[in-house]
Amino acid sequence: MTTHLICAVISFIVPGKFEPGLDMTLITIIGRGHSGTRAMSNTLAESGVYMGEPLNKSWDLIPPEDMYDACRVFADYVDWNGGISWDWSRAFESEIPKAFKSLLFTYLESVLVSDAPRKGWKIPETTLCFPWISRIFPKAKYIFWIRNPRDCIIGGHVTDDMNTFGIKYPETSNIREKRAYSWRYQYDLVKATAKPEHWIEVRLEDFVLKQDETLKRLEDFLGFKLAKIPVKPEAVGRWIKDDQDPETGTNYFDIFEPAMLEYGYEMPEKKGT
């Protein structure tokens, strides 16, 4: 790590060197890939929040490789019980490995060394190691971004096959079923993790269809005015058109039910009713 990064890291994590409230300047977005998190990252950047550099077209901080490797370190502390049951007890209870911190701080270097009054980052893989992120940055502000899982699994993402990140799950050759397991794993991981002090949950659908109202909620949470970016109403409910295409396969899996009920998404009719 560079000297500047080392100094920035010390200010965050070394007892006696911590500057009170320093990580309260940090904002990050939690949410699986294809949840529409780019809309929030774009909004923050347009509102004067430094989101690191460089950024890709999805408003992710790149290059991502150090974050990917950090996720794999976290995966070593995850136990799979079979089916859709994972145990994160070891991750919750263990000391965070130095290897993880080194990879994370290297990935976040441009953010951590910045003297911007407000700063943050976005990359979907943050979700895969959220429990350790929240322990390292307990005073940061976390925006949990949710999207109807039926829309979320229509497109491909690097986290579709969680084996790539060291996470075991039921074997399947169905790519959409892989995405469904990925979605459920990340939903369950977030739900199982103790929430940080500053936490808000936002549905993409509300951000698109009720933008002014949702921006007001976010402004109250963040404590500053947010820019209003263009949104695409067609981003909501893409599963409906997808359902009409006989070539695409199903976009609904029963493992979505708890989350869809919790967040008020339309449920498919039960067969035989």
Side-chain angles (χ1 to χ4, degrees), residues 22-57:
L22 184 58
D23 64 340
M24 289 187 71
T25 65
L26 283 176
I27 305 166
T28 191
I29 305 157
I30 305 297
R32 187 192 180 274
H34 284 309
S35 291
T37 52
R38 71 178 65 189
M40 191 65 237
S41 185
N42 186 359
T43 296
L44 290 172
E46 292 297 325
S47 305
V49 179
Y50 177 68
M51 298 299 287
E53 58 184 313
L55 303 177
N56 64 15
K57 64 181 181 180

Side-chain angles (χ1 to χ4, degrees), residues 209-269:
L209 302 179
K210 304 175 183 177
Q211 191 177 13
D212 290 339
E213 177 183 325
T214 305
L215 284 175
K216 179 62 167 61
R217 281 187 62 222
L218 285 162
E219 289 170 349
D220 290 344
F221 172 70
L222 294 170
F224 58 88
K225 185 72 174 176
L226 292 173
K228 185 175 181 180
I229 66 167
V231 294
K232 298 179 180 180
E234 62 270 21
V236 174
R238 286 179 171 166
W239 64 269
I240 299 172
K241 183 177 181 180
D242 182 77
D243 259 358
Q244 299 168 357
D245 186 345
E247 302 297 323
T248 60
T250 186
N251 54 49
Y252 176 78
F253 294 86
D254 288 340
I255 60 176
F256 291 157
E257 183 173 354
M260 291 183 66
L261 290 173
E262 178 180 0
Y263 290 104
Y265 292 119
E266 178 184 348
M267 294 292 296
E269 290 186 10

Side-chain angles (χ1 to χ4, degrees), residues 8 40 47 58 67 83 88 103 111 147 158 193-194 216 237 247 251 273:
M40 191 65 237
S47 305
S58 296
M67 176 58 92
W88 298 282
L103 289 163
V111 176
R147 185 183 192 180
V158 68
T193 303
K216 179 62 167 61
E247 302 297 323
N251 54 49
T273 61

Side-chain angles (χ1 to χ4, degrees), residues 142-208:
Y142 293 85
I143 301 170
F144 181 38
W145 204 258
I146 309 113
R147 185 183 192 180
N148 189 326
R150 302 184 73 174
D151 280 342
C152 198
I153 69 165
I154 289 175
H157 189 261
V158 68
T159 59
D160 287 350
D161 182 1
M162 290 190 298
N163 287 330
T164 304
F165 291 91
I167 300 297
K168 296 179 181 179
Y169 64 99
E171 185 175 347
T172 177
S173 59
N174 182 328
I175 185 58
R176 288 198 169 183
E177 190 172 20
K178 287 179 184 284
R179 295 170 187 165
Y181 284 128
S182 173
W183 196 96
R184 180 57 188 264
Y185 172 84
Q186 294 179 65
Y187 167 79
D188 285 354
L189 174 59
V190 170
K191 289 300 174 183
T193 303
K195 299 305 175 290
E197 180 179 352
H198 304 288
W199 174 264
I200 190 172
E201 301 186 357
V202 178
R203 299 194 324 166
L204 170 69
E205 292 80 7
D206 294 332
F207 185 83
V208 172

Side-chain angles (χ1 to χ4, degrees), residues 55-70:
L55 303 177
N56 64 15
K57 64 181 181 180
S58 296
W59 297 86
D60 293 329
L61 175 60
I62 58 171
E65 284 75 22
D66 287 315
M67 176 58 92
Y68 291 174
D69 286 341

